[in-house]
Every structure is written in C-alpha cells, then in structure tokens.
Amino acid sequence: MSNSHPAAGILDRLNKASSAEEFFSLLGVEYDHRIVNVARLHILKRMGQYLAKEQFAGAAEPDIRARCKAMLEQAYADFAASSPIDQRVFKVLKDAVADHDKPMAFVPLSELK
C-alpha cells in the first residue's frame, strides 16, 4: 500500500504559510521587499477580505490557484500604490479617522503617576 497522499491544495498550503513571503512564493507573485516589509500584515488582511468574497466550492485546483494569485496581486497593488494609513484595512486605523473630529480627552500630567 502506497503512503502517498495527494498534494495539498493551494488553500491548505496558504493556510499553513507562516509569512507574507511564503504567500508570494506559493502563488508565484513578484514583489518588492520594501513594500512587503512595511505593509505585510495589511496585504494579507486585504487578501483575506478578497478571499472572504469568493466561492471556491466545485472549482478546479488550477482555477482556485489562479484566483488566489489574482487576489494577492490586487492586495499587493493596493499597498504598492498607497500607504497602509490610506487603505485603512484594520479597525484601529478606521477608528482613528472616524474619531478625528471628536475632541481629544484631556488627561493632566498629574494623573499619569
């Protein structure tokens, strides 16, 4: 009996990836290290947002891989063209902009003991 297992699908492999660079490598997407060093979490979060909108049920593995590659390319392009602050994929950045018009709470230095 052979102990060979079918190769893991791309979604499984991406799920086990431990770095942004691994995502780029698995999907064969070219990237600039300077952009990834600044925006790695933002790029992966944006790709996750794109993935959440996809339906892969019944799709062939090459189609799934191509769609994942396109999503990573788009997420990367989003941050190659503008900064993480401009894109605001994380709640803390959205809240910072939304709360911009609210007056800041004043805390006197004497309270910071």
Side-chain angles (χ1 to χ4, degrees), residues 11 31-34 37 44 48 60 62-63 65 85 89 101 110:
L11 293 176
Y31 65 96
D32 182 330
H33 289 279
R34 293 170 297 185
N37 284 341
L44 295 181
D63 183 44
R65 175 181 278 277
I85 299 288
V89 295
D101 293 331
S110 60

Side-chain angles (χ1 to χ4, degrees), residues 18-30:
S18 61
S19 70
E21 290 82 357
E22 231 179 309
F23 274 72
F24 284 92
S25 176
L26 285 168
L27 293 170
V29 175
E30 296 287 323

Side-chain angles (χ1 to χ4, degrees):
M1 181 170 288
S2 168
N3 196 16
S4 65
H5 297 283
I10 191 64
L11 293 176
D12 290 334
R13 294 174 70 197
L14 290 173
N15 197 39
K16 292 176 183 158
S18 61
S19 70
E21 290 82 357
E22 231 179 309
F23 274 72
F24 284 92
S25 176
L26 285 168
L27 293 170
V29 175
E30 296 287 323
Y31 65 96
D32 182 330
H33 289 279
R34 293 170 297 185
I35 293 169
V36 172
N37 284 341
V38 170
R40 72 180 59 248
L41 296 177
H42 302 273
I43 292 168
L44 295 181
K45 172 82 172 179
R46 176 62 54 83
M47 182 185 180
Q49 291 170 337
Y50 292 149
L51 279 169
K53 297 175 185 174
E54 287 289 315
Q55 297 295 322
F56 291 114
E61 186 64 24
D63 183 44
I64 294 171
R65 175 181 278 277
R67 287 160 62 188
C68 287
K69 180 178 181 181
M71 284 179 251
L72 180 57
E73 288 171 337
Q74 182 58 55
Y76 173 75
D78 291 347
F79 292 96
S82 63
S83 75
I85 299 288
D86 293 335
Q87 291 290 325
R88 295 183 187 98
V89 295
F90 287 102
K91 184 179 183 319
V92 67
L93 296 176
K94 289 178 188 167
D95 291 350
V97 173
D99 293 344
H100 184 62
D101 293 331
K102 291 183 181 177
M104 297 291 286
F106 178 75
V107 178
L109 288 175
S110 60
E111 295 294 318
L112 298 177
K113 294 178 187 171

